[in-house]
């Protein structure tokens, strides 16, 4: 089985995964484009709730266990998804990793939209390029 992906598919999958957690916010990049999902999802759960927990990973692993052909793309999406949760983990409020528990986990290193946020994002990008 060949798990190699063309670079553009890999980058697109990681990018898609990185914006997917904010599908619960109608004002987010992906939420604006998929209002028919973001409005009910945000209304039902609120922002930074179930989409910012371990459940998307559990569901994806369960799906991947039944369809080996989708593993490389889904794995790339999960890398992007994880990067989003890590970014929210180090910004305001943390993430409710064990939703429905409302206990948020995180280490506040920066504020969303603050001065430090782009520095961390650029550092992560440089690390991603190196590795
Ligand atoms: Zn988020």
């Amino acid at each position: 089985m060949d798990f190699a992906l063309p670079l553009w598919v890999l980058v697109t999958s990681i990018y898609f995964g990185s914006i997917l957690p904010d599908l619960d916010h109608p004002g987010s990049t992906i939420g604006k484009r998929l209002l028919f999902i973001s409005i009910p999802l945000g209304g039902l759960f609120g922002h930074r709730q179930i989409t910012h927990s371990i459940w998307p990973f559990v569901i994806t692993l369960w799906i991947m266990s039944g369809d080996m052909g989708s593993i490389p793309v889904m794995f790339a999406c999960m890398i992007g998804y994880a990067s989003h949760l890590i970014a929210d983990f180090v910004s305001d409020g943390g993430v409710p990793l064990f939703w429905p528990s409302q206990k948020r986990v995180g280490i506040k290193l920066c504020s969303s939209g603050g001065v430090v946020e782009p520095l961390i994002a650029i550092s992560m990008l440089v690390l991603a390029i190196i590795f």
Side-chain angles (χ1 to χ4, degrees):
M1 191 175 301
D2 182 17
F3 289 133
L5 290 173
L7 183 60
W8 73 270
V9 174
L10 179 67
V11 171
T12 303
S13 300
I14 291 173
Y15 174 73
F16 178 72
S18 74
I19 62 172
L20 200 53
D22 282 345
L23 184 58
D24 62 4
H25 191 288
S28 68
T29 300
I30 192 168
K32 281 188 255 183
R33 287 158 181 82
L34 298 172
L35 286 172
F36 67 99
I37 297 174
S38 65
I39 290 174
L41 189 62
L44 192 60
F45 298 109
H47 181 47
R48 278 195 182 188
Q49 293 295 317
I50 191 170
T51 61
H52 289 67
S53 71
I54 61 168
W55 293 111
F57 290 98
V58 171
I59 292 167
T60 302
L61 288 174
W62 177 69
I63 292 170
M64 286 169 62
S65 69
D67 183 6
M68 297 299 282
S70 65
I71 284 178
V73 169
M74 293 182 81
F75 187 72
C77 282
M78 286 294 98
I79 290 171
Y81 206 100
S83 74
H84 182 110
L85 295 192
I86 291 168
D88 282 356
F89 182 86
V90 298
S91 69
D92 307 309
V95 292
L97 208 51
F98 304 104
W99 186 92
S101 167
Q102 292 301 306
K103 172 118 177 79
R104 292 180 171 267
V105 293
I107 302 166
K108 186 176 179 181
L109 297 179
C110 64
S111 297
S112 295
V115 177
V116 179
E117 185 182 34
L119 297 175
I120 292 175
I122 290 169
S123 301
M124 297 298 285
L125 179 62
V126 169
L127 285 174
I129 291 170
I130 290 171
F131 292 105

